[in-house]
Amino acid sequence: MNEPLTSLGLALRAGKLAAGEEAVNAALSAGTVRLVVLASDAGENTVRRMEHRSQGKLPILYLEADKAALGQAVGWKSCAAAALTDLGMAAAFAGRLAALDERHRGALEALEEKQEKIARRRLKKPGKRSRSK
């Protein structure tokens, strides 16, 4: 479980991770969240709020790691919730977890489907035309 958590630290340094419940709520409000990650010992209220705020539209991964381990990954003493805001990083993180535990396969498939949808949309877009004077 340590290797996937390390990737959360990398995402934080890249500016693609919201760590802590307040930051996750802000990112959810801004509509930038691609994947929510919860520690195994996150409080019932935190879990309920994250599930409500994601409205079933975003994958939520429930880690086997506790708040101390998640916190250590993001440079804090303790952290119950985090959210990846980059689709590629979210899919890579879900893939690492799915390789360790099949329960995370659904989140990985949802993220990969979203990536494919975006790729198809980009192919359909006509190229930019430059204006000449």
Side-chain angles (χ1 to χ4, degrees), residues 11-133:
L12 180 68
R13 286 187 286 286
K16 306 294 183 186
L17 182 84
E21 191 173 348
E22 288 180 23
V24 172
N25 281 329
L28 284 166
S29 295
T32 59
V33 174
R34 299 300 186 166
L35 173 70
V36 176
V37 178
L38 294 173
S40 61
D41 57 345
E44 290 179 30
N45 288 334
T46 299
V47 173
R48 190 179 70 247
R49 279 191 295 268
M50 292 299 130
E51 288 174 347
H52 176 73
R53 295 289 313 271
S54 69
Q55 300 172 358
K57 296 178 184 176
L58 297 170
I60 298 176
L61 295 181
Y62 302 90
L63 300 177
E64 291 180 20
D66 61 3
K67 292 188 287 189
L70 182 56
Q72 183 180 11
V74 298
W76 293 10
K77 183 178 179 182
S78 176
C79 181
L84 286 154
T85 59
D86 180 79
L87 186 56
M89 287 186 169
F93 179 74
R96 287 183 187 99
L97 285 179
L100 297 173
D101 188 347
E102 270 307 301
R103 292 179 300 152
H104 303 298
R105 177 80 40 208
L108 173 61
E109 290 171 357
L111 291 166
E112 287 175 340
E113 184 178 315
K114 189 169 273 200
Q115 282 181 313
E116 290 171 8
K117 195 176 194 179
I118 290 171
R120 282 193 305 270
R121 227 179 299 148
R122 286 184 181 155
L123 287 175
K124 288 183 181 180
K125 266 189 177 177
K128 284 188 174 180
R129 290 192 251 183
S130 60
R131 290 194 276 182
S132 56
K133 291 186 178 185

